[in-house]
Amino acid sequence: MRRPLLPLLACVLAASCAHVAPTRNPLADWVPSPNLDARRAVVIVLHATEQDSARESLDTLRTANSGGPVSAHYLVGEDGRLYQLVADGERAWHAGGGRWGTITDLNSASIGIEIDNDGSEPYTDAQIAALLRLLDDLTSRLSIPKTQVIAHADLAPTRKRDPGALFPWQRLAEAGYGLWPRGDLRDPPAGVDPWLAMAAIGYPLDDRAAAVRAFHRHYRGRDDGDDPLATFDADDLRILQALAAQRTGLDAVATP
Ligand SMILES: [Zn+2]
């Protein structure tokens, strides 16, 4: 009579039994292999908290707030202090719906970093320095490609604008992070399709004007607001050409 209590007691002590997924699939014979490790992220998504303080954001990221529960792996304070809220190997709830290249579930594939910024002020030197230290740690320890550091708005251009047009992407690029045009920019050859270039970089194209607005915030430091007619200019096309060439290893992505 006492033995059935033991698993129950162990369950209570574990305190999180309800969340433990079954290890084994009853459909298959369990023939365990020791050759495994934890799943790892392949993308780092940068956010702005769009709130007034790290304290306020720590509360938002740790409670069931009115808009639904959200979280991130890290928060970078305005003073450069780093907070970790979710372990690197766990799935934080920061990206929501969106797509980057062929990745459709960004929360499962990424590390989310919130940066304490209200969305209208410059980022501080202290927090960018701290962010660079964190990116160095994450990309080396988790083997995440340095070019795979993107904006929340890049993967969800119809819903999000963070970390916004004031985020210093060029400074990150000078430290080796994110995709950034390198070398002399030149006009794309005739027939090059800017949308193929955008898709090669990773942008979702469900709403093309929204994708252009995300591109402008990231690569031109410009906010088009909600302009439904946002489109590329000649400088955009030269930047796109350079980015797509880096991404694909091809000189140009043209429509056949
Ligand atoms: Zn965000």
Side-chain angles (χ1 to χ4, degrees), residues 210-234:
V212 171
R213 297 196 296 267
F215 177 89
H216 282 163
R217 284 189 204 99
H218 192 137
Y219 292 102
R220 305 299 302 275
R222 188 170 95 212
D223 195 323
D224 300 321
D226 296 322
D227 182 1
L229 301 177
T231 189
F232 298 121
D233 64 19

Side-chain angles (χ1 to χ4, degrees), residues 99-111:
R99 188 159 51 79
W100 187 247
T102 58
I103 303 171
T104 53
D105 177 3
L106 267 297
N107 280 340
S108 290
S110 68
I111 295 286

Side-chain angles (χ1 to χ4, degrees), residues 45-48 94-95 114 152-153 160 162-163:
V45 179
L46 302 186
H47 304 258
H94 61 96
E114 289 279 358
H152 194 192
K160 296 293 176 180
D162 63 313

Side-chain angles (χ1 to χ4, degrees), residues 38-55:
R39 291 174 191 261
R40 282 192 292 252
V42 293
V43 177
I44 295 173
V45 179
L46 302 186
H47 304 258
T49 57
E50 297 178 344
Q51 292 188 318
D52 292 329
S53 69
R55 179 177 292 272

Side-chain angles (χ1 to χ4, degrees), residues 131-145:
L131 175 63
L132 289 174
R133 285 197 301 278
L134 181 58
L135 292 177
D136 179 45
D137 165 64
L138 292 172
T139 54
S140 55
R141 190 164 47 80
L142 303 181
S143 302
I144 299 173

